Amino acid sequence: MKVAILGASGHGKVVADIAEQCGYQVSFFDDGFPALNKLEHWAIEGDTADLVKLKDNFDCAFVAIGNNFIRAKKQAVLAKVGLISASLIHPSAIVSRYAEIAHGCVVFPGAIVNSFAKIGAGCIINSNSVVEHDCNLEEFCHISPSVALGGGTRIGSKSWIGIGSVTKQLIEIGESVVIGAGSTVVSNVPDYVIAYGTPTKIIKAVDF
Ligand SMILES: CC(C)(COP(=O)(O)OP(=O)(O)OC[C@H]1O[C@@H](n2cnc3c(N)ncnc32)[C@H](O)[C@@H]1OP(=O)(O)O)[C@@H](O)C(=O)NCCC(=O)NCCS
């Protein structure tokens, strides 16, 4: 099985490693091509337009771009030409048989996705994070390393939960929210804000 990975960054390296461990043969594409033509030992074979032209050479694609908004746009471009987005789960991750993970998601090493959690398309579940039972994540969220989401946490689309943060059970976080690193979220957070701290306070509104 051949996967085209779009996005040759540090995040892309981890995604490639996971894809290989899932049995895929990896090819990289990045919009920095041709100036950017190599990532570690992987050759970069072109940009988004090249990938679209070469789409029939691949079984599936994966957008490995950390920015939630850019990842969503690129995934839409690839979907439009019929490139299927793989979902990649590292062998050391623990995913309940009762969890649902949509296409285009990656689950990093050591992450846990527990029973009846639902994860929308294009989400990143980063290293050692815990998505507890009954959590509901809309599309294109990024759950950073070592985040713990308490049971039943709901997160709106394109929100980014910073490294090491925790949410109390049943918390609702809106769409396009940034929760800063190391935060403790004990009350609901509305759409389009940056919030951080323990307990989390809304710092400012944002319009991405
Ligand atoms: C919240 C965040 C997006 C704000 O970024 P920013 O707007 O560039 O903020 P700055 O770095 O300019 O910091 C502004 C102020 O907020 C404070 N601050 C920033 N993030 C904070 C956080 N998470 N908790 C507490 N204070 C924070 C800074 O100390 C600084 O305070 P000061 O004005 O008193 O010096 C960023 O700090 C953050 O936490 N990002 C998440 C990083 C992450 O999880 N990375 C993992 C990737 S896998």
Side-chain angles (χ1 to χ4, degrees), residues 126 142 144-145 160 162-163 178 180-181 194 196:
N126 220 310
H142 179 180
S144 294
W160 177 25
I163 190 165
V178 177
I194 295 182
Y196 54 69

Side-chain angles (χ1 to χ4, degrees), residues 95-166:
V95 176
S96 164
R97 78 186 87 168
Y98 298 116
E100 285 176 30
I101 299 183
H103 59 278
C105 292
V106 61
V107 182
F108 271 36
I112 298 174
V113 180
N114 227 332
S115 311
F116 300 96
K118 282 191 184 159
I119 298 182
C123 288
I124 301 168
I125 309 299
N126 220 310
S127 311
N128 199 42
S129 58
V130 177
V131 178
E132 258 309 334
H133 63 88
D134 300 297
C135 282
N136 193 318
L137 278 52
E138 291 182 357
E139 297 183 331
F140 300 103
C141 292
H142 179 180
I143 308 304
S144 294
S146 295
V147 165
L149 301 179
T153 296
R154 300 179 71 86
I155 302 182
S157 64
K158 303 185 190 73
S159 288
W160 177 25
I161 312 301
I163 190 165
S165 294
V166 300

Side-chain angles (χ1 to χ4, degrees), residues 163-174:
I163 190 165
S165 294
V166 300
T167 67
K168 200 176 90 170
Q169 74 281 4
L170 300 174
I171 286 295
E172 295 188 16
I173 293 174

